[in-house]
Amino acid sequence: MTTTENNGSVLDVEIGALQGGSAGLPGYGGKAVLIVNVASKCGLTPQYNGLEKLQERYAAQGFTVLGVPCNQFMGQEPGSAEEIAEFCSATYGVTFPMTEKVEVNGEGRHPLYDGLVGFADAEGYTGDIRWNFEKFLVGRDGQVLARFAPPTEPESAEVVAAVEAALA
């Protein structure tokens, strides 16, 4: 099931970059993108390690992780853009792009997530983001290919298989 109208790409949505300007999502057309709502003070925060490993392993093949900071889950991403960038770089060596901090649920949900939440995961779940580190794989054509629950490790067999299939 795709969630974008008229076969549009979720990457056509405008969203700011973490440290200002545009995140340039339309520029990711032709790449496979793993979009992940992230937080610095969550029990799942160590997933940054696996996300960075995916970035390093597949970037040259036309893949990127896109981190989307969100503070909607128990205030686990309270920092400023500068604090988030410093934490990610210093603690986890993050090199993948990050967007501005946004809301992923509710009335203030960013339009990027409007185009994602209708896609079902392997268990058939659709709807609101459940927690930090929910993952969406977007194909080279901008269509959502897969959704992974927050506890699913970035380097798990199912995520790696989906990324490799998207790059094939």
Side-chain angles (χ1 to χ4, degrees), residues 21-100:
S22 172
L25 294 190
Y28 292 119
K31 287 189 175 193
V33 182
L34 187 68
I35 300 172
V36 186
N37 63 303
V38 295
S40 301
K41 299 185 182 306
C42 174
L44 299 177
T45 300
Q47 286 191 19
Y48 271 121
N49 284 322
L51 294 170
E52 182 60 26
K53 287 178 182 172
L54 284 178
Q55 178 73 19
E56 292 168 3
R57 183 173 175 188
Y58 295 108
Q61 297 173 50
F63 170 81
T64 191
V65 171
L66 180 65
V68 183
C70 177
N71 194 40
Q72 284 189 285
F73 303 99
M74 294 183 64
Q76 294 181 342
E77 187 59 275
S80 67
E82 294 76 22
E83 290 167 334
I84 295 167
E86 174 61 25
F87 172 82
C88 291
S89 175
T91 309
Y92 292 102
V94 167
T95 62
F96 54 81
M98 302 275 283
T99 71
E100 64 186 328

Side-chain angles (χ1 to χ4, degrees), residues 74-162:
M74 294 183 64
Q76 294 181 342
E77 187 59 275
S80 67
E82 294 76 22
E83 290 167 334
I84 295 167
E86 174 61 25
F87 172 82
C88 291
S89 175
T91 309
Y92 292 102
V94 167
T95 62
F96 54 81
M98 302 275 283
T99 71
E100 64 186 328
K101 190 173 6 178
V102 301
E103 291 185 11
V104 297
N105 288 333
E107 290 183 21
R109 181 188 338 251
H110 191 279
L112 174 62
Y113 277 84
D114 284 338
L116 295 173
V117 297
F119 195 86
D121 68 11
E123 287 74 44
Y125 177 82
T126 62
D128 282 351
I129 302 303
R130 293 164 282 192
W131 197 252
N132 301 308
F133 292 89
E134 191 140 353
K135 300 154 201 70
F136 293 87
L137 181 62
V138 177
R140 294 181 188 270
D141 62 356
Q143 300 302 305
V144 182
L145 300 175
R147 180 178 187 166
F148 303 97
T152 305
E153 290 290 334
E155 293 182 285
S156 67
E158 60 264 40
V159 174
V160 168

